[in-house]
Amino acid sequence: MLAARRVPRIARSFATVADSVGYKVAAVDANQPTSSVTFLVKAGSRFETKPGAAHVLKNFSFKSSAFRSALGTIRQSELYGGVLSASLGREHLALTAEFLRGDEEFFVQLLAEYVQSAKFTRHEFQEYVTPVVEAESTQASSDPAVYAVELAHALAFRNGLGSSLFATPHSPLTVEDVSAFAKNAFTRENIAVLGTGIDQGTLSELVQRFSGAAKSTGTASSTSASSYFGGETRLQAHGGPETVFIGFGTTGAPSPDLAAFSAYLSPTPSIKWSQGLSPIASAIPAGTSVQSVYLPYSDASLFGLLVQGPSGASVKEAGKVAVQALKAAAQGLSKEDAAKAAAKAKFAAASAIEGRDSFINVLGSKVLAGSDASVNAVLEPFASVTAASVSKAASSLVSAKPTFVAVGDIASLPYADELGL
C-alpha cells in the first residue's frame, strides 16, 4: 500500500499595490517556478520629446550603465538563465526580466541600475541601436496591417496618441536627444515595478534597497488631453494583402460597452473551424478576413475593423458588410446578443489578467496611475453592460467622423463613401 503523504496547499496572492521609495510596486504570486519583474515606465511614444525617441530608447534597453557593460549584462543574465526584453506601447515602455524563482535579487538590481544610470554611449547608438531601429521600422512599414493601424492613430489623434511607435528610417535623432528623453522619463513618479511569481513584500524590499539613487521630479510625465479628429488616407504598397482599416475614435476612459461591441462584431469563432455567430462572419467573401480592433488608452480609445483580402474587390465587399454591421448595431442589439458579447469581452479580460504579458498591459497602467488594480476592478464594469448601453456606444461611434485607411493597390481599393461611411 502506498503511504499517504501531505500535499502542500498552493496559495495564490493577487496584485496589491504598495509604495516603495517613490515607486509604485505591485506583485501577483501563483507559486510558479519562474518569476518576472517589469519596470513599467511612462515613456511611450505619446510622451516623446522628438519623433522616434521612444522607439530608440526601447532599443537602448540593457546597454551600458554606470555599473556594468552591455556585454556584462548579457553574460551575467545568461549565467542565471534569465531573459531580458523590452516592449513599447503608446503610453508605456516595459523593461522586463524573466528568471528562475529565487534569483530576483540580481535581476531587480540590474533593472534598477539601468534606469538610474544608463550611459547612452555614442558607439552603442551607432553600432547596435540604430541598425535595429531601422530594421524594425522597415519591417513595420512592409506589414500592411501594422502600417494601417499606425496611420489610423495619426489620423485619429494627430499628436500624442497619434505619434508613431516607430522612428522613421534614417531618423535625425541624436544620442543626446534620447538621453534627454530618458532623463525626464526615468524618474520615480514615472515608474511602476510589477512582479509575477514573487512575494509583494520581497519585491518592495528589493526595490527599496536598489533604488536609492533614483531621481525624482515631483511630477509625472504628462501631455495634453487626447482629442479625436478622424480622416482618410490611401497609401500605395506592394507585396502584401489589400488592406483597409475602418475605424472610429472616442475620448475618455476605456468603456466596457466598447469592449463588448468589439466582441460582438469579431468574426473569430469560439470553436476552431466553426464560422461563429458574428453578423460579419457569414457574409464576407472566402479568402478575406475581418478583424475587430479595440485599443483602449488612458483617456481615449481607437475602435475599428481591419479588412484584408487578395483583391480590392473582395476587400470592398467585406468592407460593405462590416459597415452595415456597425450601423445595424447602432440601431439596437437584442438582449441575448448583448449578453453574449459582454460575456465574451469579460472572458477576454479575465484571460488577459492570467497571462504574464497581459497582466502587465492590463493592470500595469492602473498601478502607475494609482487607480484600483484589483481583478474586480477589471471585471465588475462588465456587469453594467446592456443591449441599450452597447447600442448607445455604437451609435455615438458611427455618428463621428470615421478614420479610414487604405494600404495596397489604391487604384482598386474602395474609398470610405463607397462602403457606406
Side-chain angles (χ1 to χ4, degrees):
M1 175 182 283
L2 292 174
R5 61 180 179 178
R6 184 182 298 274
V7 179
R9 179 177 179 270
I10 298 178
R12 174 173 178 169
S13 65
F14 289 94
T16 55
V17 182
D19 191 279
S20 183
V21 293
Y23 288 143
K24 293 182 177 66
V25 180
V28 58
D29 190 3
N31 287 279
Q32 60 264 50
T34 61
S35 304
S36 75
V37 172
T38 294
F39 275 47
L40 190 71
V41 189
K42 215 172 180 183
S45 58
R46 175 178 188 166
F47 301 102
E48 62 190 8
T49 48
K50 290 189 177 181
H55 186 202
V56 176
L57 178 59
K58 185 208 76 166
N59 285 289
F60 246 121
S61 300
F62 310 115
K63 299 297 187 290
S64 297
S65 71
F67 297 90
R68 65 189 87 218
S69 66
L71 181 59
T73 296
I74 294 170
R75 285 179 171 175
Q76 289 174 301
S77 298
E78 289 183 344
L79 283 173
Y80 285 93
V83 177
L84 303 176
S85 61
S87 61
L88 179 67
R90 284 188 154 75
E91 296 190 298
H92 305 111
L93 168 67
L95 306 174
T96 299
E98 299 173 82
F99 46 88
L100 292 171
R101 194 180 188 93
D103 292 337
E104 56 269 6
E105 181 173 339
F106 168 76
F107 286 98
V108 172
Q109 181 180 11
L110 186 153
L111 290 166
E113 288 174 352
Y114 175 75
V115 298
Q116 292 173 68
S117 64
K119 284 186 174 181
F120 300 105
T121 61
R122 190 176 303 278
H123 77 275
E124 287 179 327
F125 175 68
Q126 295 174 342
E127 297 175 17
Y128 304 121
V129 177
T130 298
V132 176
V133 168
E134 291 181 352
E136 289 181 344
S137 297
T138 301
Q139 174 64 30
S141 63
S142 64
D143 185 326
V146 173
Y147 200 21
V149 172
E150 284 294 302
L151 291 171
H153 277 87
L155 286 173
F157 304 113
R158 298 184 183 176
N159 301 315
L161 290 175
S163 298
S164 177
L165 292 175
F166 302 95
T168 57
H170 312 295
S171 170
L173 276 172
T174 65
V175 70
E176 289 78 16
D177 295 330
V178 182
S179 179
F181 177 52
K183 182 178 180 181
N184 292 328
F186 289 162
T187 64
R188 300 183 188 195
E189 295 79 11
N190 287 327
I191 298 176
V193 182
L194 309 170
T196 64
I198 185 171
D199 176 70
Q200 168 82 47
T202 301
L203 182 58
S204 294
E205 188 274 329
L206 290 172
V207 170
Q208 185 171 7
R209 189 197 311 176
F210 295 120
S211 299
K215 299 185 290 294
S216 175
T217 61
T219 57
S221 297
S222 62
T223 61
S224 57
S226 297
S227 298
Y228 175 69
F229 299 94
E232 181 174 355
T233 190
R234 305 168 66 80
L235 268 295
Q236 183 73 35
H238 303 282
E242 305 301 323
T243 302
V244 159
F245 179 84
I246 306 163
F248 298 88
T250 181
T251 56
S255 164
D257 295 311
L258 282 182
F261 185 40
S262 177
Y264 168 71
L265 291 177
S266 175
T268 303
S270 298
I271 302 175
K272 193 174 183 180
W273 307 121
S274 67
Q275 190 175 73
L277 299 177
S278 165
I280 297 174
S282 61
I284 58 177
T288 304
S289 66
V290 178
Q291 178 184 348
S292 181
V293 177
Y294 175 54
L295 300 171
Y297 301 102
S298 59
D299 65 347
S301 299
L302 182 64
F303 173 92
L305 294 166
L306 185 70
V307 185
Q308 293 187 290
S311 66
S314 64
V315 168
K316 183 177 181 179
E317 184 178 347
K320 285 182 177 180
V321 171
V323 171
Q324 288 172 0
L326 279 168
K327 292 185 175 182
Q331 297 300 314
L333 266 68
S334 68
K335 290 184 178 180
E336 182 182 355
D337 284 339
K340 287 189 296 185
K344 189 175 181 180
K346 184 176 181 179
F347 177 79
S351 299
I353 296 172
E354 293 188 345
R356 179 171 286 168
D357 293 337
S358 299
F359 165 76
I360 302 302
N361 295 331
V362 174
L363 296 183
S365 58
K366 292 180 178 291
V367 173
L368 195 53
S371 57
D372 187 356
S374 66
V375 174
N376 286 339
V378 176
L379 302 182
E380 280 183 356
F382 290 100
S384 64
V385 174
T386 63
S389 65
V390 175
S391 294
K392 183 179 179 180
S395 178
S396 177
L397 273 183
V398 299
S399 64
K401 184 178 180 179
T403 294
F404 185 84
V405 179
V407 178
D409 179 11
I410 57 175
S412 64
L413 284 169
Y415 287 84
D417 57 359
E418 293 179 306
L419 302 183
L421 293 172

Short mmCIF file of all heavy atoms in Angstrom, two decimals, residues 47 56 161 179 256 418:
data_model
loop_
_atom_site.label_atom_id
_atom_site.label_comp_id
_atom_site.label_asym_id
_atom_site.label_seq_id
_atom_site.Cartn_x
_atom_site.Cartn_y
_atom_site.Cartn_z
N PHE A 47 4.63 60.37 -25.14
CA PHE A 47 5.35 61.31 -24.31
C PHE A 47 6.70 61.74 -24.89
O PHE A 47 7.42 62.53 -24.27
CB PHE A 47 5.59 60.72 -22.92
CG PHE A 47 4.32 60.35 -22.20
CD1 PHE A 47 3.90 59.03 -22.13
CD2 PHE A 47 3.53 61.32 -21.60
CE1 PHE A 47 2.73 58.68 -21.49
CE2 PHE A 47 2.36 60.99 -20.96
CZ PHE A 47 1.95 59.66 -20.89
N VAL A 56 13.76 54.54 -30.15
CA VAL A 56 15.21 54.40 -29.95
C VAL A 56 15.52 54.05 -28.51
O VAL A 56 16.39 53.20 -28.23
CB VAL A 56 15.92 55.70 -30.37
CG1 VAL A 56 17.42 55.60 -30.08
CG2 VAL A 56 15.70 55.99 -31.85
N LEU A 161 -1.25 60.42 -28.79
CA LEU A 161 -1.51 59.03 -29.16
C LEU A 161 -1.32 58.79 -30.64
O LEU A 161 -1.18 57.65 -31.08
CB LEU A 161 -2.94 58.64 -28.75
CG LEU A 161 -3.20 58.50 -27.26
CD1 LEU A 161 -4.69 58.24 -27.00
CD2 LEU A 161 -2.36 57.38 -26.65
N SER A 179 18.98 60.60 -24.70
CA SER A 179 19.40 60.74 -23.31
C SER A 179 18.53 61.76 -22.58
O SER A 179 18.15 61.54 -21.42
CB SER A 179 20.88 61.17 -23.26
OG SER A 179 21.30 61.35 -21.92
N PRO A 256 -16.44 49.49 -21.04
CA PRO A 256 -16.80 48.07 -21.19
C PRO A 256 -17.80 47.87 -22.33
O PRO A 256 -17.86 46.79 -22.92
CB PRO A 256 -17.40 47.70 -19.83
CG PRO A 256 -17.85 49.01 -19.25
CD PRO A 256 -16.88 50.03 -19.74
N GLU A 418 -17.69 54.71 -50.56
CA GLU A 418 -18.14 53.55 -51.34
C GLU A 418 -18.55 52.38 -50.43
O GLU A 418 -19.22 51.45 -50.89
CB GLU A 418 -17.03 53.09 -52.29
CG GLU A 418 -16.72 54.08 -53.39
CD GLU A 418 -15.61 53.60 -54.30
OE1 GLU A 418 -14.52 53.26 -53.79
OE2 GLU A 418 -15.83 53.56 -55.52
#
